[in-house]
Structures are given as structure tokens and as C-alpha cells.
Amino acid sequence: MTARSMTDEEFALYQRMVSALGIGDFSSLLVHYTSIATLENILDSRELWFGRLSDLKDTAECDHFIDGVLRNASSLLPIADPDVIAATMQHFRQVMRDETFVSSWCEYSLAEPEGQLGMWREFGDDGMGVGIVADSSQFLASAIKREHLSFGVYSARMEYVHKDRVSAYANDMFKRVANIDIPNADVMRKFMMAALVLSKAPCVKHHSYAEEREIRFMRMSPALNGGVASPTVPRFATVRGQQREFAALPLKDYPEHALDLRVERILKRVVVGPQGDRAGREQRVKALLAKHGLGHVPVVVSDIPWRGQAA
């Protein structure tokens, strides 16, 4: 399926919404904590797999936001019809959970090359894995081009909102957008809050997770995405004894979308986790990169002291 080109008016509206919502740039380097086996699979297949939102450990974080808004729908701006909001969100809630696929990354700083201890423990194979550091500059808000918006894969900085602040947070979003001159505004006002909440739901977590500094890449259902299809393809794998579906994004050049996602273009370094035989895993990673013609990619060994292990 080929998405239609966005008009000048539509792209201008997108830019006004980005400005109104205060969406800024995140780090131009991101890190994905995972196992060496997953790194090998990415290099072998030249694909990045996105997990289904409802299969993630933290799916409840989406409910945390949506449920908070639904409980307080009557206190939202009068311009947004509470009944329409509730009905729309209830209708699309399961679609959002089941047909949104995500890939989670964290902001990475060259000033802290060793990575984050908590992320190594939770996602980096308990410190025995790797951190894949990639160039994210093509997805920064300031770099988005019209062609990007028909790609069907989007990036967003995670917001960390206390459950008592959910309604106020949603209201603030709507106030910002309500001041924009929107075509067919009378119709849009009825659905704007529901659309905003649904689009933000996969990007909101409890405030206690703020240390993750997560950037999330999403492939949403065309039903929630203006009919825009993505270039992802379905893949299946058994995880903890259960068959699961993933959305695989081929890592290649997409000239029609002005995006170059080839591995040799975006892979900037690999960080070896701080646990166990770091020297042995460093050599394993270097050999793996060399095998795929990526011997020029730096390999950094995390020197975070690991409890229970001699420094």
C-alpha cells in the first residue's frame, strides 16, 4: 500500500500541532538494551522487531493514562464532549493495545558511555547483554519532513505522569491544540480529546519510571493513524512458551520517505554489559560486527561495578 502524499496545508497543521504541544528534540543517540543473541538476529536479518503493546511488561501504563481520563471525563473542557470521548476511547482501546507495536530505546550520552545500571538489570540480559547505540537524528522533531509522515513509524519521548495528574495533563494537551486554527473545527473538537489521548496513551508511564529516559518508536494501527500503513512485516516467535506476533521493520534505505535506516548508516557503537566475562563478550561482539562488515563500529565495555562481582 502506498500512502498518499501529505498536502502543504496538512503538513503546516502538523507543524502547528508540534509547536503547540511543545514537542522538542530528544538525544540524537539512543541505546537499546538487549541480549547478544538479539544483536546477532538484527544483524543477520537486517530487521528491527517491534513488540505488541499488550505483550509488554508495562502495558498497564497505558491503562494508567486512559483510565484516568475516563474517570475524569466530565471535568474535561466543555468543548470536548465527555460521552464522545468515552465512547471513542472504549471502542478503540483494544485496537490500540492489540495493534500498536513498539520498540523501546533510551537516550544515550557520550558523557555516560557505560549506560544505566537499572536498564542493564531489567533489559540488558541482567548485565550480560549489550547496548545497541543508534543515530536517531532522522526522527528528531526538528528534522521531520513531509515524506516522513507517510512512513507509518513514529517516535515519541515518553512522558511520566503521576496518576493524580492524568486529567490535568490531558486537559493541558487539549488547551494547547484548541488554540490552533483547525479545518472543520466543529467536527474536530468532538473527537480531538479522544484522538489525543489515544495517540498519547502508548507514550505515558507512571512518574516512577522517569529514570528510564525512554524514547519509543511505534507502529500504530492504520485505524488510529489516518490510514497510513507502515513498511513493517509480521513475524512470529515463541516467548516464554507462548507464540507471539511482532512487527519487523526492514533496516534499509527508504528514499521515498527520505529515510536511510541501513545498519551501516545508523549503528554508532555497541556497549558490552558490566556483568561477567566482559573481555570475552567484547571479543565476541567485535567478531560479530566484523562478520557483517561493521568492524569500524566502536565497541565499548561498561565499567559499572556489578554487585556480587569483583570490580
Side-chain angles (χ1 to χ4, degrees):
M1 176 178 177
T2 302
R4 67 176 180 83
S5 299
M6 179 174 281
T7 66
D8 290 342
E9 182 180 20
E10 289 170 332
F11 187 60
L13 174 59
Y14 164 81
Q15 291 177 312
R16 292 199 298 273
M17 291 188 68
V18 167
S19 177
L21 291 171
I23 299 174
D25 288 345
F26 43 78
S27 171
S28 61
L29 288 177
L30 301 179
V31 57
H32 179 67
Y33 296 90
T34 187
S35 65
I36 294 180
T38 296
L39 170 63
E40 186 169 12
N41 288 338
I42 291 172
L43 297 180
D44 285 343
S45 66
R46 289 301 202 264
E47 292 179 344
L48 179 65
W49 286 23
F50 289 49
R52 190 193 302 275
L53 190 62
S54 58
D55 289 336
L56 302 184
K57 294 179 182 178
D58 50 6
T59 302
E61 297 302 331
C62 301
D63 297 337
H64 154 77
F65 185 50
I66 290 180
D67 290 346
V69 172
L70 287 172
R71 281 194 301 269
N72 297 284
S74 61
S75 67
L76 298 173
L77 290 178
I79 201 172
D81 186 329
D83 293 334
V84 172
I85 293 169
T88 303
M89 286 196 293
Q90 292 286 12
H91 178 69
F92 284 114
R93 176 176 180 164
Q94 203 60 41
V95 175
M96 183 271 294
R97 288 169 59 95
D98 289 345
E99 297 188 29
T100 299
F101 291 77
V102 304
S103 178
S104 296
W105 297 66
C106 299
E107 293 189 281
Y108 182 79
S109 170
L110 294 177
E112 301 175 346
E114 65 279 356
Q116 301 166 250
L117 179 59
M119 301 306 289
W120 282 119
R121 290 189 182 279
E122 185 71 17
F123 302 105
D125 201 13
D126 197 30
M128 301 283 287
V130 293
I132 302 171
V133 179
D135 178 359
S136 62
S137 60
Q138 297 176 91
F139 287 91
L140 300 182
S142 61
I144 295 298
K145 301 176 182 178
R146 182 183 329 193
E147 296 89 344
H148 294 172
L149 299 180
S150 61
F151 186 58
V153 174
Y154 306 97
S155 61
R157 183 195 300 274
M158 294 299 293
E159 301 285 347
Y160 302 93
V161 181
H162 193 284
K163 64 179 182 180
D164 295 333
R165 292 286 303 160
V166 164
S167 185
Y169 176 79
N171 242 330
D172 179 62
M173 284 197 305
F174 191 59
K175 285 179 181 177
R176 290 168 179 261
V177 174
N179 293 324
I180 299 175
D181 180 21
I182 301 174
N184 301 315
D186 291 340
V187 176
M188 292 293 287
R189 286 188 183 112
K190 289 181 177 291
F191 298 96
M192 184 61 74
M193 177 59 79
L196 280 173
V197 169
L198 284 166
S199 64
K200 289 294 292 185
C203 310
V204 176
K205 285 187 176 183
H206 191 278
H207 68 283
S208 299
Y209 291 91
E211 65 176 337
E212 293 178 351
R213 306 199 309 259
E214 182 181 348
I215 306 298
R216 183 164 278 183
F217 290 84
M218 298 173 291
R219 192 233 71 178
M220 303 182 76
S221 166
L224 301 176
N225 192 30
V228 176
S230 76
T232 59
V233 293
R235 295 282 186 261
F236 298 88
T238 300
V239 180
R240 291 188 287 275
Q242 293 186 333
Q243 182 84 343
R244 289 186 179 178
E245 181 181 357
F246 295 83
L249 175 66
L251 297 175
K252 64 178 187 177
D253 190 12
Y254 294 91
E256 68 276 24
H257 298 293
L259 289 168
D260 185 354
L261 302 182
R262 293 173 300 154
V263 172
E264 55 269 30
R265 159 70 174 78
I266 62 174
L267 182 62
K268 294 304 177 185
R269 66 169 54 186
V270 177
V271 186
V272 173
Q275 166 76 301
D277 180 12
R278 292 175 290 187
R281 281 181 289 115
E282 178 187 14
Q283 292 307 310
R284 179 181 170 190
V285 169
K286 285 183 175 180
L288 183 60
L289 292 171
K291 171 186 172 183
H292 291 276
L294 299 166
H296 62 282
V297 175
V299 177
V300 178
V301 178
S302 176
D303 60 359
I304 297 176
W306 198 266
R307 288 177 181 167
Q309 164 182 306

